[in-house]
Amino acid sequence: RVHRPDLPDLGTTVWVDCLHTDGPGLRLAGHPVEAVTQVEEVSAALQDETGLYSHGYDVASGQPNAVHWGRGQGWALLGLTGARSERLRPRVDALVTALSRCEEDGRWRTVVDAQDSPVENSVSALVALGVMSGVRAGVLDASWLAMSDRALDAAVAAIDGDGGLPVSSATPVGVPDTYAERDTGVHPWGQGPLLLALLAANGTQSR
């Protein structure tokens, strides 16, 4: 199911970014079965044998772009946990296990399995939030909360003097160099996950 069939240049693309809205959005709209189906279909196209997700999948060629974009792993984690289904637990477990292999004291790189890729702070915020959401939803073991704590500590440590979390700019599906060469700034996809993670850590977030 492509996300923007109305756009000629993007009409065959499935993005991992949309998992964080597809599953939770359909569930909150009263369509829990459709939520799980959508997340499963997208995951089947994007999650590979490593447990990580490609950023995009082209339905015309039948191929993913095979780049494990850091922020995309966070979007996938929120989609998997937000659908709140035991059917998705194997995929959640595979993803967090893969992320644990790439972790650097609560931090991950823009391409999580590329050591020459820069550190990407939004991944820390998303992983912190996603793990807490998964444990709360009952689709992730509480033993993973230690990773969530490290991720949240790393994200907080990266906040600048004005309260902003520096993260990479909007990123199109592309080749590895596309991800390494993004500029950084303060964006909603950094601030939002960080604020939600802080609320969840303080027990004041309910979803």
Side-chain angles (χ1 to χ4, degrees):
R1 304 181 188 183
V2 299
H3 297 288
R4 291 302 304 269
D6 56 310
L7 298 178
D9 56 335
L10 298 173
T12 64
T13 304
V14 177
W15 292 294
V16 72
D17 317 38
C18 297
L19 272 175
H20 85 290
T21 54
D22 290 350
L26 285 166
R27 182 184 62 81
L28 291 170
H31 305 289
V33 175
E34 290 87 345
V36 176
T37 298
Q38 175 71 356
V39 172
E40 283 185 327
E41 287 182 356
V42 173
S43 295
L46 295 177
Q47 190 176 28
D48 60 34
E49 66 280 356
T50 68
L52 298 170
Y53 279 68
S54 289
H55 185 179
Y57 178 88
D58 185 80
V59 297
S61 67
Q63 295 295 322
N65 78 321
V67 176
H68 298 138
W69 180 42
R71 189 154 60 238
Q73 310 313 308
W75 295 138
L77 184 56
L78 290 185
L80 289 165
T81 59
R84 297 191 178 184
S85 171
E86 189 68 22
R87 283 169 50 191
L88 296 171
R89 186 165 189 146
R91 292 195 180 276
V92 181
D93 288 339
L95 176 55
V96 295
T97 299
L99 284 168
S100 72
R101 297 191 186 106
C102 303
E103 181 191 352
E104 300 175 29
D105 194 21
R107 296 174 175 82
W108 287 266
R109 296 185 179 273
T110 302
V111 178
V112 293
D113 51 355
Q115 285 298 306
D116 58 347
S117 185
V119 169
E120 173 52 47
N121 294 320
S122 64
V123 188
S124 296
L126 286 161
V127 169
L129 175 61
V131 169
M132 285 187 280
S133 298
V135 172
R136 187 170 59 247
V139 295
L140 193 58
D141 191 84
S143 63
W144 288 106
L145 288 173
M147 185 167 75
S148 176
D149 291 343
R150 292 191 299 272
L152 186 56
D153 287 346
V156 170
I159 296 173
D160 65 23
D162 296 318
L165 181 67
V167 300
S168 60
S169 61
T171 307
V173 175
V175 298
D177 286 350
T178 301
Y179 301 83
E181 297 171 353
R182 310 310 294 171
D183 57 3
T184 59
V186 177
H187 298 287
W189 46 87
Q191 298 301 100
L194 176 57
L195 290 170
L196 290 172
L198 289 168
L199 288 170
N202 286 305
T204 54
Q205 182 196 15
S206 60
R207 181 173 178 180

